Amino acid sequence: MSEFYESTQALTALSSNHQSPLDASLLEAVQVQTTKLEGRQRQISAKLQLAHSVDQIWQILTDYESLAEFIPNLAKSQRLEHPEGGIRLEQIGMQRALKLSFSARVVLDMAEEFPHTIRFQMIEGDFKDFSGAWKLEPLLDSGGPPTLLSYTVRVWPKLTMPIMAIERRLRSDLALNLVAIQQRLQEKFD
């Protein structure tokens, strides 16, 4: 089964949970890459050119409390008190496959480097490691959309989690997430 077909199936199943249906045709523009790291660790990256400014995309990405409203499989995104005054989030992801449900919880410390990078590092959660970054790159004089949005996550699942299933699911989810962000931008700014 192709990765695009799997993402389209997941998109169809998830769209009913969100305010606006997600457009499956947009998935074709998302580029996803997986790198196998040491042992069970994986790094998965996705990128998409967006027809919106860095400032507009930044507004969407840093509206942390609203992310669960439009990001597929994100059941909860809530700011927590940070002991040093930084940004700390609790996020819970939900997956349903066949008749089984799976959830994963992470508490992330965020580091914003406006206007180009938002880094995150798990400090508590259901993985051994879950870290990465959002990157926003203006594409001046490219003749195409003005911003390249990329998302990279490094995941190290615990031994009780099947790595191939986690990797496959994350590849699909990252593409869906970028499409959801694109559509949220269109709803808010177009």
Side-chain angles (χ1 to χ4, degrees), residues 46-62:
K47 59 185 174 180
L48 178 64
Q49 289 187 15
L50 299 172
H52 291 84
S53 70
V54 167
D55 288 339
Q56 291 170 328
I57 298 166
W58 190 270
Q59 285 178 44
I60 298 296
L61 293 177
T62 58

Side-chain angles (χ1 to χ4, degrees), residues 52 55-61 63 66 70 181-190:
H52 291 84
D55 288 339
Q56 291 170 328
I57 298 166
W58 190 270
Q59 285 178 44
I60 298 296
L61 293 177
D63 186 4
S66 297
F70 66 94
I181 290 165
Q182 180 175 7
Q183 288 193 203
R184 183 68 161 207
L185 286 159
Q186 290 168 343
E187 290 168 8
K188 189 166 182 173
F189 298 110
D190 291 352

Side-chain angles (χ1 to χ4, degrees), residues 107-127:
V107 175
L108 304 169
D109 276 352
M110 312 297 287
E112 297 179 357
E113 300 165 18
F114 181 80
H116 300 295
T117 307
I118 303 168
R119 297 184 196 287
F120 56 91
Q121 175 67 50
M122 184 186 81
I123 59 159
E124 174 185 322
D126 293 332
F127 298 94

Side-chain angles (χ1 to χ4, degrees), residues 39-88:
R40 294 170 36 85
Q41 298 177 65
R42 299 292 187 273
Q43 180 172 297
I44 303 167
S45 300
K47 59 185 174 180
L48 178 64
Q49 289 187 15
L50 299 172
H52 291 84
S53 70
V54 167
D55 288 339
Q56 291 170 328
I57 298 166
W58 190 270
Q59 285 178 44
I60 298 296
L61 293 177
T62 58
D63 186 4
Y64 300 117
E65 298 275 342
S66 297
L67 295 176
E69 293 174 12
F70 66 94
I71 298 290
N73 294 319
L74 187 58
K76 179 180 182 180
S77 181
Q78 164 183 320
R79 281 187 80 149
L80 301 175
E81 188 172 328
H82 192 292
E84 298 169 12
I87 301 167
R88 182 164 287 172

Side-chain angles (χ1 to χ4, degrees), residues 143-161:
T147 307
L148 178 65
L149 175 63
S150 62
Y151 179 80
T152 300
V153 63
R154 181 179 176 147
V155 63
W156 186 3
K158 294 181 178 177
L159 286 174
T160 57
M161 298 174 153

